[in-house]
Amino acid sequence: MVDVRVPSSLDEVFRLLREEPSARLFAGGTDVMVRSFPDTLRRGPFLCLERVEELRGVNESATEVRIGAATRLSELIASPLVADRFPLLREAARHIGAPAVRNMGTLGGNVCTASPAGDTLPPLYILDADVELRSLTGQRRMPISAFITGPGLTQLEEGEVLCAVVIGKAQGFNFHHFEKVGQRKAMAISIASLAFAARTGGDGTVVKARCAFGSVAPTVFTSRVLDDTFSGKTLDRDVLERAAAIIREGVDPISDIRASMEYRRQVAANLIMRLEGAGKDR
Amino acid sequence: MKRKISFLLNGSPVAMEVDPSRRAVDVLREDLGLTGTKEGCGSGECGACSILVDDVVKLSCIMTAAQLEGRKIVTIEGVGQDGELHPVQRSFVERGAIQCGFCTPGMVIAAVGFLKENPDPTREEIRAGMSGNICRCTGYEKIIDAVEDAAAKIRGGGSGG
Ligand SMILES: Cc1cc2nc3c(=O)[nH]c(=O)nc-3n(C[C@H](O)[C@H](O)[C@H](O)COP(=O)(O)OP(=O)(O)OC[C@H]3O[C@@H](n4cnc5c(N)ncnc54)[C@H](O)[C@@H]3O)c2cc1C
Ligand code: FES
Ligand code: FES
């Protein structure tokens, strides 16, 4: 029999972690309980973060928005602050699973699972999000792109808790787009996804653009060269075809049960073509 | 080692000694004999095991017993009141939204939770709201009809339709 503790404060979390440094953390359990039940349950004890007050909710300071790691995806989607500041992140979260999965699954869980198909990750890369980590011995903060080191791999150490995802308020994007290709609409893990944000002039000329792809590389695919191709241009066919060539060249997909490598490469490049004519004032 | 947990189940307080890592669906079905909640996939994909946790739809197959502590749980056995079917249940019967019935408890729970959040949904919103529940029999149209009908019943004060 394996113990499961459900602490309600961070103090209690660290008290339990002092007793059991190898305790396995989970929040919504929508990754852990699926993958592991009943196998890894033998490797407990488990520490459930779903009720830890300090890890829940969306708050703002003058310059940043702090999203508690145990904030459920449905709460993230319902947050006016997120809708107002980071519509791209909200849109991506809406594409995860189905309602009950979003009622259980958390932002922190999506980040720590570090799946190449994790739908909140491409927007978090574009928004230059930081993660805030805490352990018994201290606290550290780093960009999400440094935190995620490979498929399913992060810098999280034993006994360390992801407390929050922190995003700067000054993003300066006025156009955003998220599209995910899966085998069906609900519950589908992505075959390829594109998150795109840009600052554009009234005539649609791009001042700056950021692109991030999910499911087409070991981690989120971003490229400075790709982002720079859009600068000073409108999103017309020529520019997008140039971008598509860079994407086909740059991505590094795998073949699996959902799609082949070649298909993913082609879908990723095609996703960018959907932006034709976008970014102009409506 | 067992732990004591207490929660509210379909309006009545429950206190029990349980393996905290036992799945909520097993606690409900095997320990408490409430077999209305079904297990289809056991991995979050089908919605058959849906229950309401503090009025929010969750999946009891990927939830541990420890997480029931202190919560208000409603299963299919508790959605109707005073011997009366819930309007969602009535609409499922009246609209022929049930064939083999295996998915029905989860569908009804998902619809009850969804209609609390969105009492006046479009058909498209119903589809999205019910998208986590799989039915191998009905082809879904009658389920969407039933949820639409139930929404009207509930808005009309519970007895219309
Ligand atoms: C049917 C179904 C469909 C799904 N569809 C999608 C989808 O479309 N897109 C998608 O991206 N995902 C999908 N998922 C995966 C999952 O729902 C998400 O990744 C979700 O965000 C995970 O959050 P969680 O809180 O449930 O994670 P958990 O399962 O609780 O935890 C996941 C991992 O993160 C660690 N962890 C969690 N919180 C913390 C913390 N605060 N500090 C340190 N470590 C932590 C855990 O130890 C574990 O390793 C789906 C899952 C299911 C069951
Ligand atoms: S049995 Fe729980 S979702 Fe299928
Ligand atoms: S009625 Fe048979 S699975 Fe839905």
Side-chain angles (χ1 to χ4, degrees), chain B residues 74-104:
Chain B
V74 176
T75 66
I76 188 65
E77 289 87 350
V79 294
Q81 260 165 14
D82 310 322
E84 293 273 320
L85 292 182
H86 187 280
V88 170
Q89 290 174 305
R90 266 196 289 135
S91 296
F92 267 67
V93 173
E94 289 163 12
R95 294 298 171 123
I98 305 167
Q99 288 187 26
C100 81
F102 186 85
C103 70
T104 310

Side-chain angles (χ1 to χ4, degrees), chain A residues 62-278:
Chain A
T63 55
E64 294 178 329
V65 173
R66 191 174 181 279
I67 307 172
T71 304
R72 294 195 285 266
L73 295 164
S74 55
E75 296 166 333
L76 176 90
I77 292 164
S79 157
L81 203 52
V82 171
D84 183 38
R85 296 277 175 182
F86 316 122
L88 182 65
L89 177 61
R90 178 175 187 273
E91 189 55 28
R94 276 165 36 87
H95 281 77
I96 294 180
V101 173
R102 298 192 291 270
N103 286 340
M104 300 177 81
T106 64
L107 181 63
N110 202 237
V111 169
C112 291
T113 291
S115 161
D119 283 315
T120 66
L121 304 180
L124 292 176
Y125 275 64
I126 286 181
L127 298 167
D128 288 324
D130 277 352
V131 294
E132 203 183 278
L133 309 173
R134 231 207 262 183
S135 68
L136 276 167
T137 53
Q139 194 164 338
R140 50 188 187 139
R141 179 171 161 160
M142 67 183 78
I144 183 138
S145 55
F147 178 65
I148 295 178
T149 54
L153 300 173
T154 68
Q155 291 211 37
L156 200 68
E157 283 169 13
E158 185 173 282
E160 206 168 29
V161 178
L162 170 65
C163 289
V165 172
V166 185
I167 311 176
K169 280 180 170 176
Q171 294 288 339
F173 297 122
N174 60 342
F175 173 77
H176 73 93
H177 172 86
F178 181 85
E179 185 169 355
K180 163 173 162 177
V181 175
Q183 284 174 325
R184 64 187 193 110
K185 244 191 193 156
M187 299 286 209
I189 302 299
S190 90
I191 286 169
S193 67
L194 164 64
F196 181 90
R199 179 157 84 242
T200 62
D203 63 350
T205 305
V206 172
V207 181
K208 69 162 180 172
R210 297 281 307 269
C211 289
F213 288 86
S215 295
V216 293
T219 62
V220 170
F221 171 73
T222 58
S223 153
R224 176 62 64 82
V225 178
L226 175 59
D227 292 346
D228 287 347
T229 34
F230 301 107
S231 296
K233 312 271 176 25
T234 54
L235 296 172
D236 60 31
R237 199 158 189 96
D238 269 5
V239 172
L240 294 173
E241 265 165 12
R242 230 170 305 143
I246 297 171
I247 293 161
R248 267 192 299 271
E249 193 65 24
V251 300
D252 181 17
I254 57 161
S255 294
D256 67 7
I257 180 172
R258 280 182 285 275
S260 69
M261 184 171 78
E262 294 75 23
Y263 181 74
R264 284 201 158 90
R265 193 183 293 280
Q266 190 60 46
V267 168
N270 291 353
L271 277 172
I272 205 80
M273 301 307 293
R274 303 273 181 122
L275 289 167
E276 192 173 346

Side-chain angles (χ1 to χ4, degrees), chain B residues 97-104 107 134-138 143:
Chain B
I98 305 167
Q99 288 187 26
C100 81
F102 186 85
C103 70
T104 310
M107 288 283 179
I134 291 176
C135 174
R136 62 175 188 180
C137 306
T138 64
I143 291 175

